[in-house]
Amino acid sequence: MDFKKILKVISAIVALAAVAAAVYVAVKKFTGKKEPEYFDDNDFFECDNEIEIVEAKREETVVEEAPAEDKAPKKKPEKKATKKKAE
């Protein structure tokens, strides 16, 4: 066999192996068992569980009425009739 032919055969084998590996990794990634990851809240912040309740005065809000606008429906412009040429 010629040296170039040997290189072509080896490169074809390597390419097929790379494609097979890519398919294997993709299948494993999409079908792999996914386990939930649990976190302990105490790892992120300290909580002393001392809650202070503060009551605020309720303020009355004044609602102003907007003046009524003229809500008459607008008329659509009439379409002009087009005449067809008689043949």
Side-chain angles (χ1 to χ4, degrees), residues 3-80:
F3 181 70
K4 288 184 180 181
K5 202 169 217 175
I6 293 172
L7 286 178
K8 286 182 181 180
V9 170
I10 292 174
S11 65
I13 292 171
V14 169
L16 289 174
V19 168
V23 169
Y24 175 77
V25 169
V27 168
K28 282 292 187 180
K29 183 176 182 179
F30 291 119
T31 62
K33 184 178 179 184
K34 296 183 180 179
E35 297 179 9
E37 189 173 347
Y38 297 104
F39 295 102
D40 185 15
D41 287 340
N42 293 328
D43 292 341
F44 299 107
F45 59 89
E46 293 181 16
C47 183
D48 55 1
N49 291 331
E50 293 180 18
I51 299 174
E52 182 179 341
I53 298 174
V54 178
E55 293 185 19
K57 292 181 182 178
R58 187 175 185 112
E59 296 180 11
E60 293 184 25
T61 57
V62 179
V63 179
E64 295 180 15
E65 294 185 22
E69 294 182 16
D70 185 22
K71 294 190 178 184
K74 295 181 180 179
K75 293 183 180 179
K76 295 182 181 178
E78 295 181 14
K79 294 184 180 178
K80 294 182 180 178

